[in-house]
Amino acid sequence: MTESARLAPQRRALILDIVRRDGAVRVAELVEQLGVSDMTIRRDLDVLARTGALSKVHGGAISASVTTADEPPFETKVALESRAKSAVAEAASALVKPGSVVAVSGGSTSYAVAARLRYVPGLTVVTNSLPVAQLLRPTGAEPGPAGPTLLLTGGTPTKSASLVGPLADQAIRSLQVDLLIIGAHGVSERAGATTPNLAEAQTNRALIDCATQVAVVADHTKWGVVGLSRFIALPEIDYFVSDDGLDSEACSVLRDSVGQLILGATQP
């Protein structure tokens, strides 16, 4: 019997065996090993997650013994779902107007957006992300117009290289920005946008409070994932920017809940 001919219960049992053995698995790895489509694997993970057998994370799944308080490092996250993140970043960067003040949160999707802001004229960028600050830091060595004016908050770095805590919160509360670009560990209808880090959730709320408009950037694999702490409910989101891999049910929920749903097109 070929892998593609396996019945769903057999396939899901194999997925559970892999997750229990390795602790985590990526969707792409399961597609290759089991010989079925990406959508089939994601449906299997949805079923297993609802039973509590495993937990969905962006790009794959983790063992149920790994809690919603666990947070992968930035270097791990930035390598996942690169095509989807690129689509999200292209769509989100179109919201940024020349001469505006933009806040960019920590996270690999926000980082992808920041990479497209280097040549927006007259831009001021506030960030609590060390990788974003490094990306946008002026070197004086590059030809062409100067990059954005950069303001980096203080604070204590998390595993995902975001600066959080009282120092970051205090600095952020003294500012007013036109648009916030903010990533999320997970997004769901019930929980809204969440993170596994309590201190990061608090700093995210400070960023939200100082912004005129909020754009949550999250690729399709974040839908249905729930972190430990919510930092924004769906109705509070002005723009939800994802990619065209987001399923129809999620799109329907988001169109009814957020200000505007924007889907970036993934390129082959």
Side-chain angles (χ1 to χ4, degrees):
M1 181 171 59
T2 65
E3 298 289 358
S4 58
R6 295 184 191 276
L7 297 175
Q10 295 173 306
R11 194 172 58 245
R12 290 164 190 164
L14 283 172
I15 292 172
L16 272 181
D17 286 342
I18 294 169
V19 172
R20 287 167 178 162
R21 182 192 68 207
D22 299 337
V25 70
R26 296 179 61 184
V27 169
E29 294 168 351
L30 292 174
V31 168
E32 183 176 351
Q33 291 182 44
L34 302 183
V36 293
S37 69
D38 178 282
M39 189 60 68
T40 296
I41 292 297
R42 295 189 188 281
R43 283 197 295 264
D44 288 341
L45 294 182
D46 285 337
V47 171
L48 293 169
R50 284 196 293 269
T51 67
L54 52 72
S55 297
K56 284 180 63 181
V57 296
H58 50 277
I62 58 176
S63 169
S65 62
V66 180
T67 72
T68 53
D70 287 310
E71 180 181 20
F74 177 82
E75 293 78 11
T76 298
K77 294 192 294 184
V78 78
L80 296 173
E81 300 293 340
S82 58
R83 280 178 52 196
K85 286 176 183 174
S86 179
V88 174
E90 285 291 339
S93 62
L95 297 172
V96 178
K97 298 177 181 178
S100 62
V101 180
V102 178
V104 180
S105 78
S108 55
T109 309
S110 299
Y111 179 86
V113 179
R116 290 157 173 79
L117 303 183
R118 285 178 285 189
Y119 303 108
V120 178
L123 198 65
T124 297
V125 175
V126 177
T127 187
N128 69 320
S129 166
L130 292 173
V132 168
Q134 182 64 28
L135 177 71
L136 298 180
R137 181 175 63 89
T139 63
E142 296 183 6
T149 299
L150 179 65
L151 299 176
L152 178 64
T153 71
T156 304
T158 66
K159 287 172 63 177
S160 61
S162 300
L163 297 175
V164 302
L167 287 176
D169 299 349
Q170 183 177 1
I172 292 166
R173 290 192 186 104
S174 67
L175 303 172
Q176 182 63 39
V177 305
D178 299 306
L179 176 68
L180 167 62
I181 305 290
I182 188 166
H185 171 79
V187 184
S188 74
E189 181 177 9
R190 177 184 60 82
T194 57
T195 172
N197 187 303
L198 289 171
E200 185 165 27
Q202 183 64 36
T203 298
N204 283 350
R205 292 186 196 110
L207 285 166
I208 290 163
D209 288 344
C210 82
T212 301
Q213 292 187 306
V214 177
V216 172
V217 291
D219 70 67
H220 68 278
T221 65
K222 305 290 185 70
W223 182 256
V225 178
V226 179
L228 180 64
S229 182
R230 178 173 72 181
F231 57 86
I232 191 170
L234 295 186
E236 299 175 276
I237 298 170
D238 297 292
Y239 303 101
F240 188 91
V241 188
S242 190
D243 63 276
D244 54 13
L246 196 65
D247 65 51
S248 59
E249 182 180 352
C251 288
S252 177
V253 170
L254 288 163
R255 288 193 178 101
D256 290 341
S257 303
V258 305
Q260 183 178 348
L261 173 64
I262 301 172
L263 300 179
T266 53
Q267 299 299 318

